[in-house]
């Protein structure tokens, strides 16, 4: 094992050949003044202690002591890369967003990630993969903060901190524990569809290049006339989908636990640029009620009867040369939208609209949008000012509105579309939950090999659940989704199939 890990470290070093500067430059302190000796501290004579006046030593240690910032509360392990997006269809009848104007080319920064692991955790984890794209458009930044599947585990933001607590390493041991995860999922049947995806081979992509991406939620497209359509986004990998099978996972981690980053960066450095085509599904607001599920529920896919149309292509072509200033300091937020794209009423998305910019003000500080990786390519004008590390170079004393002399104009034409509202304030689950059907439909599309791998991977974790009630609740959900699926899982976890069948019969919703 030791030898394998050492080998993987060396493979990284050789992959990222050490760049030699063309000519050596004089080392300076942060103030710019030259450093004489960077190898020996100033001391009181040959035997004496180190001197407080050694400002270079003190600054060097102080800066080192402060190198780490809080890691992302989720998606801490990630890989950033630059590229460009080119639209391939005229969809001005759907959206006024400039990023889709034919003939345009928009720079992007993409961050791929795992979800639950710490910043330095192995990249082969049974986890969704983050697929976050920042478009630096001529109307400001648009972030599409998605994952590699079209759905999610839960449908209401109020459950998200609990979902993460149960799935992150245990609060007492610091180790991930399926007992905690399945305790949560046994009481969250809406996760059945996503869990089925998670435990297929696609839960272990063999490379970031070999997976699709999805916006997951519905968004609203608004055209120049103010007409609204609901839309879902799908990035389709031109490299195809490839995964690591359960029996190969241990070897893969042993061989190189930074597999995903090394694969992506080595590919781009070898001028093999991965590409994804962007597809959309479009739904008219009048059709929202036509389904037996809720199209604004993020645990559901939209059916093939809502056709996908290709609208653009993204090419990733440049490896950042500063990990911290790109990948670590990048800040993606579903609320970062541009005219022509608006949030839908999806309850998860609504919570996300708040959470990202909020955590980023904590993780990076209030002026994080001024960092080069987050800064829009268009000028920023508003009356926000000051705060920690501000450097927006704002000029002028009229930093308020209304004003007869202000030079910054409001633009009424960019007001959000007017949406009719109905009902009264409430705190209730959605009507059409339909928690199990799509999981069963998905299961039945899998090949026999994929089904076998799913049963192997899922029973591996479910078999470790010691709480009988939770185990049988989970098995009943999978049985309700598909009898063959539930029976095979029950057998693989040494459970009583007839008890599972009986429990499934008492589940109302499918
Ligand atoms: C209400 C539910 C959710 C909340 C409150 C939430 C919250 C967060 C937070 C706080 C971060 C860290 C952001 C940062 O530090 O910069 C994050 C990252 C992320 N989340 Fe969520 N999340 C939610 C649901 C989702 C869903 C449904 C998806 C997928 C569609 C998703 C995809 C991501 C991705 C891809 C990242 C990493 C972004 C990056 O690479 O920097 N999240 N989330």
């Amino acid at each position: 094992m030791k030898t394998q890990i050492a080998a993987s470290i060396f493979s990284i070093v050789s992959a990222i050949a050490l760049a030699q500067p063309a000519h050596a430059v004089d080392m300076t302190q942060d103030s710019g003044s030259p450093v004489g000796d960077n190898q020996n501290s100033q001391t009181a004579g040959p035997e004496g202690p180190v001197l407080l006046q050694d400002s270079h030593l003190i600054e060097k240690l102080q800066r080192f002591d402060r190198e780490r910032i809080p890691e992302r509360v989720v998606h801490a392990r990630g890989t950033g890369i630059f590229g460009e997006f080119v639209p391939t269809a005229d969809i001005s009848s759907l959206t006024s967003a400039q990023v889709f104007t034919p003939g345009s080319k928009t720079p992007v920064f993409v961050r791929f990630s795992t979800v639950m692991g710490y910043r330095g955790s192995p990249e082969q984890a049974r986890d969704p993969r983050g697929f976050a794209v920042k478009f630096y458009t001529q109307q400001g930044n648009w972030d599409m903060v998605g994952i590699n599947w079209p759905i999610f585990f839960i449908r209401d933001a109020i459950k998200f901190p609990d979902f993460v607590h149960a799935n992150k390493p245990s609060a007492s041991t610091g180790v991930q524990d399926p007992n905690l995860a399945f305790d949560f999922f046994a009481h969250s049947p809406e996760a059945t569809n996503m869990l089925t995806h998670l435990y297929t081979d696609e839960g272990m992509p063999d490379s970031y290049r070999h997976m699709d991406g999805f916006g997951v939620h519905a968004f609203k497209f608004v055209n120049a006339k103010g007409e609204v359509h609901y839309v879902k986004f799908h990035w389709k990998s031109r490299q195809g989908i490839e995964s690591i099978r359960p029996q190969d996972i241990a070897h893969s981690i042993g061989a190189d636990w930074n597999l995903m980053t090394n694969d992506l960066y080595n590919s781009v450095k070898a001028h093999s640029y991965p590409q994804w085509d962007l597809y959309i599904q479009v739904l008219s607001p009048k059709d929202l009620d036509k389904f037996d599920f809720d199209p604004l529920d993020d645990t559901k896919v939209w059916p093939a009867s809502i056709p996908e149309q290709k609208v653009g292509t993204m090419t990733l072509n440049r490896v950042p040369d500063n990990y911290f200033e790109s990948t670590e300091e990048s800040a993606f937020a579903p609320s970062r939208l541009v005219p022509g794209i608006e949030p839908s009423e999806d309850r998860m998305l609504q919570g996300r609209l708040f959470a990202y910019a909020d955590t980023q003000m904590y993780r990076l500080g209030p002026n994080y949008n001024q960092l080069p990786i987050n800064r829009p390519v268009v000028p920023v004008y508003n009356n926000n000012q000051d705060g920690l590390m501000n450097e927006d170079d704002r000029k002028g004393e009229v930093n308020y509105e209304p004003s007869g002399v202000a030079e910054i104009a409001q633009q009424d034409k960019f007001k959000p579309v007017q949406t009719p509202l109905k009902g009264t304030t409430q705190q209730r689950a959605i009507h059409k939950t339909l928690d199990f059907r799509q999981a069963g439909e998905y299961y039945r599309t899998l090949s026999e090999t994929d089904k076998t791998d799913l049963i192997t991977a899922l029973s591996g974790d479910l078999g470790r659940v010691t709480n009988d009630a939770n185990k049988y609740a989970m098995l009943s959900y999978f049985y309700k989704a598909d009898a063959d699926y539930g029976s095979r899982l029950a057998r693989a976890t040494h459970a009583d199939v007839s008890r599972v069948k009986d429990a499934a019969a008492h589940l109302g919703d499918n």
Side-chain angles (χ1 to χ4, degrees):
M1 187 65 178
K2 263 189 182 160
T3 333
Q4 281 172 331
I5 291 169
S8 76
I9 291 167
F10 285 122
S11 72
I12 299 160
V13 174
S14 60
I16 306 168
L18 291 176
Q20 297 292 338
H23 61 280
V25 290
D26 287 340
M27 182 180 281
T28 69
Q29 288 189 234
D30 284 349
S31 59
S33 74
V35 169
D37 185 345
N38 188 40
Q39 297 299 304
N40 302 291
S41 309
Q42 287 183 34
T43 59
E47 317 293 344
V50 171
L51 298 179
L52 189 59
Q53 71 174 29
D54 190 344
S55 58
H56 170 59
L57 167 71
I58 288 173
E59 179 181 82
K60 186 173 176 180
L61 294 179
Q62 282 179 316
R63 286 297 308 271
F64 173 71
D65 293 346
R66 289 164 176 76
E67 280 181 7
R68 304 286 174 273
I69 60 171
E71 66 174 37
R72 288 168 175 81
V73 67
V74 280
H75 294 262
R77 177 77 212 256
T79 308
I81 187 147
F82 292 97
E84 62 191 31
F85 173 77
V86 175
T88 53
D90 183 354
I91 52 169
S92 52
S93 61
L94 292 171
T95 176
S96 57
Q98 171 275 327
V99 65
F100 292 112
T101 307
S104 66
K105 187 187 279 189
T106 301
V108 298
F109 179 71
V110 176
R111 185 173 178 273
F112 298 113
S113 51
T114 55
V115 183
M116 294 297 167
Y118 295 131
R119 184 151 50 199
S121 55
E123 293 185 304
Q124 300 92 331
R126 190 158 297 283
D127 224 0
R129 295 301 187 282
F131 195 125
V133 182
K134 186 180 287 294
F135 299 79
Y136 301 91
T137 90
Q138 291 303 316
Q139 295 171 308
N141 290 349
W142 171 36
D143 294 351
M144 196 203 294
V145 197
I147 52 172
N148 60 331
W149 292 310
I151 50 172
F152 201 68
F153 298 92
I154 50 173
R155 57 168 75 98
D156 192 320
I158 202 166
K159 293 183 75 167
F160 190 77
D162 303 291
F163 156 73
V164 173
H165 288 176
N167 281 275
K168 274 263 191 189
S170 142
S172 62
T173 64
V175 177
Q176 269 181 312
D177 183 351
N179 278 293
L180 303 174
F182 284 112
D183 187 26
F184 176 86
F185 290 132
H187 300 91
S188 305
E190 70 270 29
T192 308
N193 197 12
M194 182 70 166
L195 286 170
T196 304
H197 282 73
L198 180 69
Y199 280 94
T200 64
D201 289 352
E202 284 185 33
M204 273 293 170
D206 78 347
S207 135
Y208 286 135
R209 297 179 300 124
H210 292 146
M211 61 182 209
D212 282 358
F214 297 85
V216 178
H217 311 284
F219 287 83
K220 283 177 182 166
F221 265 173
V222 185
N223 66 15
K225 289 188 229 157
E227 293 162 339
V228 176
H229 289 86
Y230 287 95
V231 62
K232 285 220 185 196
F233 299 103
H234 181 175
W235 294 107
K236 288 193 190 184
S237 167
R238 286 203 186 174
Q239 295 69 238
I241 309 286
E242 286 178 36
S243 311
I244 307 172
R245 297 191 58 199
Q247 58 269 37
D248 300 326
I249 293 168
H251 171 74
S252 173
I253 297 174
D256 179 4
W257 76 49
N258 302 298
L259 173 76
M260 310 285 277
T261 302
N262 285 332
D263 170 86
L264 182 68
Y265 285 180
N266 288 339
S267 162
V268 169
K269 284 178 178 177
H271 307 288
S272 169
Y273 303 129
Q275 291 187 309
W276 284 260
D277 292 323
L278 181 62
Y279 285 75
I280 55 170
Q281 281 177 297
V282 179
L283 190 61
S284 168
K286 67 178 171 21
D287 293 335
L288 269 191
D289 290 333
K290 286 194 176 162
F291 302 88
D292 56 3
F293 66 92
D294 181 344
L296 301 182
D297 167 5
D298 72 351
T299 69
K300 301 295 184 300
V301 292
W302 284 3
S305 59
I306 308 173
E308 291 193 316
Q309 48 178 306
K310 184 177 154 187
V311 296
T313 300
M314 176 171 74
T315 306
L316 300 182
N317 54 19
R318 183 161 63 87
V319 174
D321 53 16
N322 186 317
Y323 170 81
F324 188 86
E325 290 180 15
S326 56
T327 306
E328 201 58 14
E329 289 194 327
S330 58
F332 298 84
S335 56
R336 216 151 284 138
L337 298 167
V338 287
I341 308 173
E342 294 188 14
S344 75
E345 298 79 1
D346 175 327
R347 295 177 183 191
M348 276 289 279
L349 175 59
Q350 292 283 321
R352 297 180 74 200
L353 298 176
F354 164 74
Y356 289 66
D358 180 57
T359 197
Q360 286 151 8
M361 287 198 187
Y362 160 70
R363 186 168 70 81
L364 301 164
N367 288 305
Y368 69 94
N369 275 313
Q370 292 171 24
L371 294 168
I373 194 67
N374 300 322
R375 197 180 291 155
V377 291
V378 291
V380 172
Y381 302 110
N382 57 42
N383 295 325
N384 298 336
Q385 65 176 24
D386 305 349
L388 195 68
M389 307 298 286
N390 186 296
E391 55 159 58
D392 69 0
D393 200 28
R394 194 186 176 287
K395 303 275 192 287
E397 61 187 351
V398 184
N399 54 358
Y400 53 85
E401 276 202 42
S403 154
V405 292
E407 286 176 4
I408 304 174
Q410 292 182 40
Q411 290 160 302
D412 278 358
K413 61 182 174 177
F414 294 133
K415 276 188 180 162
V417 72
Q418 291 193 19
T419 313
L421 299 174
K422 58 181 178 190
T424 52
T425 311
Q426 60 164 49
Q427 228 177 337
R428 289 206 196 126
I430 61 170
H431 286 305
K432 300 178 192 170
T433 50
L434 207 73
D435 286 332
F436 312 109
R437 185 187 302 168
Q438 287 199 356
E441 287 168 357
Y442 175 64
Y443 175 79
R444 290 186 287 279
T445 66
L446 298 175
S447 70
E448 190 44 44
T449 311
D450 288 341
K451 283 181 184 165
T452 305
D453 284 358
L454 165 63
I455 302 298
T456 305
L458 183 47
S459 64
D461 279 350
L462 213 48
R464 291 164 60 198
V465 173
T466 51
N467 179 306
D468 227 33
N470 285 345
K471 179 172 158 181
Y472 274 91
M474 290 309 311
L475 289 169
S476 71
Y477 300 160
F478 297 120
Y479 190 97
K480 181 83 180 176
D482 182 279
D484 174 64
Y485 181 20
S487 306
R488 287 175 71 171
L489 268 178
R491 285 193 294 272
T493 54
H494 311 292
D496 175 356
V497 180
S498 56
R499 182 175 156 192
V500 172
K501 186 177 175 185
D502 192 45
H506 287 90
L507 297 169
D509 176 43
N510 208 358

